[in-house]
Amino acid sequence: TERQYRDDSSEGGVGRPAPKIKLQTKSWQAVSLPENVHLEGTSSYIPLTRNKAVQTVMNVYSPGNRDELHCHPGSEHIFMVWQGQATIRGINEGEEIVLNPGELVHIKAGHYYQLCNDTDDILVLYQVATIPAKRSPMGRRSFRRAGDVSADDLNDRGVTTK
């Protein structure tokens, strides 16, 4: 029999419905964005696919909504603007950009960022996030709880190096 991993299936997560899967085999997971993404004007995190190494998600931000400045130790994130306009801010000099549909940003593991919808329209982001081989004791770290720590002071596990 083929070895099954817990992460080799799409999961909705706590309080989230599982995504509607079009096709799932031992090698593939296929989903329809229109069947899974509903733009009701509220912010949401919509899981799409997941395996032991990576997950894909759609993030929907209502006008004026923004994340807290944070990082994910051990997990790289790619965000592509699907609809609307995203402002992305970091903590280092020069880390602020406005992205439009079809543009993306790749954020290294353990580096701080903030996703913002500074417009009057809905923002929809397609997200790809790596899943650490070894689970970090801290999945997400808020910048305001980190003190005087810069992204360069953190290793891939989110532990300070200085």
Side-chain angles (χ1 to χ4, degrees), residues 10-118:
S10 296
E11 301 173 3
V14 177
R16 297 185 180 112
K20 295 176 185 168
I21 303 292
K22 290 187 71 66
L23 173 69
Q24 183 159 338
T25 70
K26 65 181 181 177
S27 304
W28 294 5
Q29 293 175 27
V31 297
S32 163
L33 295 181
E35 288 179 20
N36 285 286
V37 179
H38 305 285
L39 307 178
E40 284 98 26
T42 60
S43 299
S44 57
Y45 175 92
I46 304 161
L48 297 172
T49 63
R50 181 182 176 100
N51 64 31
K52 65 182 178 176
V54 70
Q55 66 182 356
T56 63
V57 173
M58 293 300 281
N59 294 296
V60 180
Y61 291 81
S62 57
N65 197 4
R66 62 186 58 205
D67 284 344
E68 180 176 56
L69 189 63
H70 68 283
C71 72
H72 298 270
S75 180
E76 302 220 0
H77 283 67
I78 298 169
F79 296 97
M80 184 183 79
V81 177
W82 187 264
Q83 176 183 328
Q85 187 177 69
T87 301
I88 303 166
R89 297 182 177 97
I91 60 172
N92 296 310
E93 187 175 326
E95 290 182 340
E96 181 167 334
I97 191 165
V98 174
L99 298 177
N100 294 297
E103 298 177 330
L104 64 87
V105 63
H106 185 154
I107 300 168
K108 290 182 179 181
H111 287 255
Y112 287 92
Y113 67 93
Q114 179 185 39
L115 301 170
C116 308
N117 181 359
D118 292 336

